[in-house]
Amino acid sequence: MKALAALFLTLLFSGLLGALWPSGLMEPDLFLVLALGYARARPYYLGLPAAFLLGLLQDLLGFGLLGVHAIGLLSASYAFYAASRRLVAGESLGALFAFLWAFFAKWLGYFLVAYWLRLDLPPLAPLDLILEGLFTLPFALWALRLAGPRTQP
């Protein structure tokens, strides 16, 4: 029930941010926040398929290519699990590094799918990545704190 409420709030705030956010500026990735929060509270065999399904939902809502966000969120959750095993993600510095590792894995997943499908890569400035990461970070730290202690598989 808690996961369904979190999904509903993500959809609500994502739509609200899409309408109110200034055009041309990358908005926070709330689906990444939800996937990482779910990965924090669940073992990997539940978190990875959930991240993939959330990415498919994000692809369906965004009218993009089916599977791009799915692979991005799957790789982000996988990287988050890997970082959480090596870092204490409950501490501030460990949570920051786990988020950064997952954030860059998400973008690496996007670019790998774009390369694999032989798509033209969009012009993406490093400043856009930095801004999206800075806008997403507070939401992610808040969600990781709400998710509670990390579970072991």
Side-chain angles (χ1 to χ4, degrees):
M1 190 65 179
K2 193 175 172 182
L4 194 60
L7 176 63
F8 177 73
L9 286 174
T10 300
L11 290 172
L12 179 74
F13 287 132
S14 179
L16 187 65
L17 279 176
L20 298 177
W21 201 260
S23 65
L25 192 61
M26 295 190 74
E27 61 188 46
D29 191 358
L30 297 181
F31 283 93
L32 173 67
V33 171
L34 182 62
L36 294 183
Y38 196 77
R40 168 89 173 154
R42 304 285 189 275
Y44 67 92
Y45 54 84
L46 294 175
L48 293 177
F52 187 79
L53 291 175
L54 281 173
L56 282 178
L57 179 65
Q58 189 177 8
D59 285 330
L60 289 173
L61 293 173
F63 304 111
L65 288 175
L66 195 60
V68 174
H69 286 98
I71 296 299
L73 290 184
L74 178 68
S75 60
S77 294
Y78 187 75
F80 182 78
Y81 279 119
S84 295
R85 290 181 66 103
R86 289 167 179 73
L87 301 169
V88 181
E91 295 178 358
S92 299
L93 194 58
L96 175 68
F97 283 127
F99 169 76
L100 288 175
W101 191 252
F103 182 75
F104 288 123
K106 175 190 87 158
W107 280 99
L108 179 65
Y110 287 170
F111 285 120
L112 286 176
V113 169
Y115 175 75
W116 182 39
L117 294 176
R118 306 281 194 260
L119 300 174
D120 291 330
L121 294 177
L124 188 65
L127 181 64
D128 289 340
L129 287 176
I130 292 169
L131 285 177
E132 182 188 349
L134 287 176
F135 293 145
T136 308
L137 181 63
F139 291 107
L141 293 177
W142 180 64
L144 292 177
R145 181 153 314 242
L146 286 179
R150 182 171 66 104
T151 58
Q152 296 291 333

